Amino acid sequence: MNHVLRKLVERGGGLVTRTAAEQVVPAWTLQRACGDGDLVRVLPGVLVAAHLLDVTRRDLPAITRLDPRLGHRAVCAWAQGCGALSHLSALDVWGLRRHVAGQPLHLSAPAEAGLRSRPGWCCIDASALRQNPRMW
């Protein structure tokens, strides 16, 4: 992997966004790192160091094969400030319930943010909660 990209990934704790990486390296450098198996795309625009994925669970989406803390960071990076961890993911962050590997990560966001659920994580329309507080 390119040494500048490697430093950026290390500085990010194993995670880097395409936007951040392309500010310091050309796009082909990212493509090569992914092609060589050094980086893995876990969500659109979010890449992680391949060695951080659980290789024993190849049947699961890449995002759920990460350590939950890194998975939380990846989902938040993908949301780009338009959402927040919710439900069981938020409970894990606060130390109230431990996240079990393979379970979906949860993110709440307003509908106008345009975020949609993908395999391995759920996106909840937070505006629906304001309209119907009894939903809980």
Side-chain angles (χ1 to χ4, degrees):
M1 183 184 330
N2 173 286
H3 73 282
V4 174
L5 181 57
R6 182 183 317 277
K7 288 288 186 190
L8 189 61
V9 172
E10 288 172 2
R11 186 173 294 164
L15 181 141
V16 66
T17 63
R18 176 174 292 279
T19 304
E22 288 182 349
Q23 291 179 8
V24 294
V25 297
W28 63 264
T29 305
L30 282 175
Q31 293 168 351
R32 184 173 191 153
C34 290
D36 290 347
D38 295 325
L39 293 177
V40 175
R41 177 182 170 265
V42 293
L43 290 169
V46 180
L47 306 158
V48 298
H51 72 275
L52 297 175
L53 274 83
D54 181 357
V55 295
T56 63
R57 303 295 311 265
R58 293 189 189 274
D59 57 318
L60 297 174
I63 189 73
T64 59
R65 296 184 324 169
L66 294 173
D67 173 80
R69 304 251 186 272
L70 187 56
H72 295 153
R73 290 182 43 230
V75 169
C76 289
W78 179 80
Q80 298 177 350
C82 294
L85 293 175
S86 63
H87 298 76
L88 301 177
S89 297
L91 292 175
D92 180 56
V93 169
W94 284 95
L96 300 174
R97 181 188 180 277
R98 186 171 176 177
H99 181 88
V100 177
Q103 285 185 336
L105 300 165
H106 295 89
L107 180 82
S108 291
E112 56 272 9
L115 303 176
R116 300 288 177 255
S117 295
R118 297 185 181 272
W121 66 277
C122 303
C123 185
I124 311 302
D125 177 5
S127 60
L129 301 177
R130 286 193 300 275
Q131 294 167 2
N132 185 4
R134 293 181 184 213
M135 189 176 197
W136 289 97

